[in-house]
Amino acid sequence: MYDVAIIGAGVIGTGIARELMRYQLKVVILEKENDVADGTTKANSAIVHAGYDAPFGSNKGRFNVEGNAMYGQVCKELDVHFKQIGSLVLAFDEEDRPTLQELLENGKRLGVPGLEIIEPDRIREIEPNVSQKVVAALWAPTAGIVGPWELAISYAENAMDNGAELRLNTEVTGITKKENKFHLMTSTGEVEARLVVNAAGIHADDIYNMVAQSEFTINPRRGEYFLLDNEVSDLVNTVVFQCPTKMGKGVLVSPTVDGNIIVGPNAEDVQTKDEINTTADGLDFIRQKAKLTIEELPFHMNITNFSGLRAEPSTGDFIIEESKQVAGFINVAGIKSPGLSSAPAIAVYVAETICAGILGSHAKRNPAFNPKTRKKLRFKDLSDEKKADLIRVEPSFARIICRCETITEGEIVDAIHRNAGARTINGVKRRCRPGAGRCQGGFCGPRVVEILARELKISPMEVELEGKDSHILVGETKGGADE
Ligand SMILES: Cc1cc2nc3c(=O)[nH]c(=O)nc-3n(C[C@H](O)[C@H](O)[C@H](O)COP(=O)(O)OP(=O)(O)OC[C@H]3O[C@@H](n4cnc5c(N)ncnc54)[C@H](O)[C@@H]3O)c2cc1C
């Protein structure tokens, strides 16, 4: 029997798993998809918000500010890209100024450091390309950008390095509680656990309804994006927002940690929890809105579009608590934005205060816990000398697979064989970036298929792009590889 079963391997579930491994506990993460970070964690703005906009006294406000302050340390330990580049909220006319003032005062109450309202001269020193219409801005120096799936993958890896189990392709289909023990029915068999952490993202209400009377609903709210080529990476230096609306933080323009520019999102309530398509109307809306921030945004440099689903809770705030109906069942639900920013703080709170609190003396500290992951080898960032040394030891680092991003075979092999390693083509892309550049895998895709098949000892026909049964090869032509 497990001490804790976590449902969902997004940034929330994996973060909690990692923090639980600071105790001598048996922990399993159950994930219905074939990779970690395959839900909302893979499709968001990737911003570590400073934390000035959630209401004082809310979970969102508290965990955002605490999470932001933890980011530097966590990303250092887990070798995850994080850059504290600051953010601006732009006001385009004097009527927006009171909104900036409200955000400033709310942020100060919440304890956000360094907030200031700045005027056009200073704004243009920070962001020379923003619209001439800008009259003022809220400057938040602690905001940052991060690799969101990178963080979740590294959380999962570190949790596994410290003894946690990850079960992919394992969908939870039913839950009962008998004699202080949860029985989780899954697509790969029954799992027993003392505690259950429900970190199932947009499905957290469906999961809770398996074991208790309905208390909240999670509604999917879609956000779509443009991702621009890294050739225009110097367009903005910071995260640039517009004044917020009732539907959220509005359209932003920001660098990504990988040197692209992200533009989006819109906010649209959708009917089902799998509507992650992009739409002509949605993208057009973003295009028009974003031009307010930068008049000449180079949309012709767009390399891809994508969308993600916010887990909009009926309560309006993050739900982070042990169920009052079912002892030992912990909901971490409705984790919409700023959920990514809050993840490190939510993880510690759920593991230490809730889980260890319930388990009491059963949760003994783990003196062997290692907070650090093994460093990832990023070939293109090495000096020529180090590159040569590496190639002498491991010749596969001399074979460039992805030309756009300069990614070697050695890095791909490592990404497959680490704990929580890649199992799909997009899983490889999220871990070390082949296919994330301008050609979007047009050149390197077939080579990645070959490497995955060889390393996982499966047929190329079994290699999936992303998600269950997303095979991209359907049969052999000309007799296959033998001819
Ligand atoms: C458009 C958009 C923009 C955003 N921008 C930001 C931002 O800039 N900054 C920020 O801080 N936050 C942002 N967020 C919010 C942030 O992305 C989320 O808060 C965070 O990713 C939530 O992580 P999660 O682990 O709760 O959910 P998920 O990543 O969705 O993980 C839940 C997991 O549970 C699994 N699961 C579901 N049902 C089952 C089942 N029955 N059995 C097993 N597994 C199951 C799913 O497959 C999934 O992998 C944004 C969100 C969106 C949509």
Side-chain angles (χ1 to χ4, degrees), residues 76-117:
K76 202 165 153 206
E77 287 174 349
L78 299 180
D79 191 21
V80 167
H81 287 101
F82 166 62
K83 295 181 186 164
Q84 201 155 34
I85 56 175
S87 71
L88 290 167
V89 181
L90 303 181
F92 297 105
D93 59 51
E94 289 300 331
E95 280 175 21
D96 283 340
R97 218 179 252 277
T99 308
L100 299 187
Q101 194 60 38
E102 276 166 32
L103 291 173
L104 174 85
E105 278 156 26
N106 191 54
K108 281 188 174 167
R109 253 187 113 198
L110 283 159
V112 180
L115 292 175
E116 278 179 80
I117 292 180

Side-chain angles (χ1 to χ4, degrees), residues 295-451:
E295 280 133 18
E296 300 297 326
L297 256 175
F299 282 105
H300 64 285
M301 299 302 275
N302 185 43
I303 57 171
T304 191
N305 298 101
F306 64 92
S307 79
L309 295 177
R310 301 168 180 88
E312 191 63 41
S314 51
T315 61
D317 196 7
F318 295 163
I319 301 159
I320 308 174
E321 60 190 15
E322 183 183 11
S323 160
K324 288 175 193 73
Q325 295 183 56
V326 189
F329 192 94
I330 297 136
N331 284 312
V332 192
I335 310 296
K336 56 175 279 194
S337 188
L340 175 64
S341 318
S342 308
I346 292 176
V348 170
Y349 177 75
V350 173
E352 276 187 22
T353 308
I354 306 188
C355 295
I358 299 170
L359 292 166
S361 58
H362 188 79
K364 293 189 188 60
R365 282 273 167 191
N366 174 10
F369 176 77
N370 178 3
K372 293 191 178 159
T373 50
R374 179 166 59 80
K375 279 251 171 217
K376 291 148 203 152
L377 281 163
R378 297 179 178 110
F379 185 78
K380 73 173 170 189
D381 297 342
L382 301 178
S383 65
D384 285 350
E385 222 175 28
K386 290 231 164 83
K387 281 178 182 157
D389 287 348
L390 186 59
I391 289 167
R392 264 191 289 276
V393 181
E394 180 44 70
S396 65
F397 282 93
R399 281 192 287 277
I400 303 291
I401 302 296
C402 169
R403 290 181 188 173
C404 303
E405 297 287 312
T406 328
I407 308 298
T408 62
E409 182 168 355
E411 289 162 275
I412 297 173
V413 171
D414 185 51
I416 294 169
H417 290 297
R418 301 175 78 98
N419 267 333
R423 292 291 173 273
T424 63
I425 299 169
N426 283 353
V428 170
K429 169 163 115 177
R430 280 195 283 279
R431 283 162 180 84
C432 59
R433 292 187 60 73
R438 181 182 295 188
C439 92
Q440 289 286 295
F443 173 75
C444 61
R447 302 298 316 280
V448 173
V449 172
E450 279 171 19
I451 298 168

Side-chain angles (χ1 to χ4, degrees), residues 7-13 30-33 35 37-49 170-173 199-203 207 210 221-225 252 265-266 308-311 332 335-342:
I7 306 172
V11 72
I12 298 298
L30 308 170
E31 169 54 55
K32 71 180 168 72
E33 300 299 335
D35 202 357
D38 209 41
T40 304
T41 298
K42 80 174 173 202
N44 54 61
S45 308
I47 312 301
V48 179
H49 295 286
T170 300
E171 179 167 3
V172 175
T173 53
I202 46 169
H203 292 285
I207 293 286
M210 289 177 186
R221 182 172 288 174
R222 184 171 57 198
E224 301 171 45
Y225 291 95
L252 60 84
N266 58 340
L309 295 177
R310 301 168 180 88
V332 192
I335 310 296
K336 56 175 279 194
S337 188
L340 175 64
S341 318
S342 308

Side-chain angles (χ1 to χ4, degrees), residues 178-193:
K178 283 184 226 139
E179 294 158 12
N180 290 334
K181 204 197 283 179
F182 287 95
H183 299 260
L184 294 101
M185 271 57 78
T186 82
S187 53
T188 57
E190 193 177 311
V191 170
E192 291 178 358

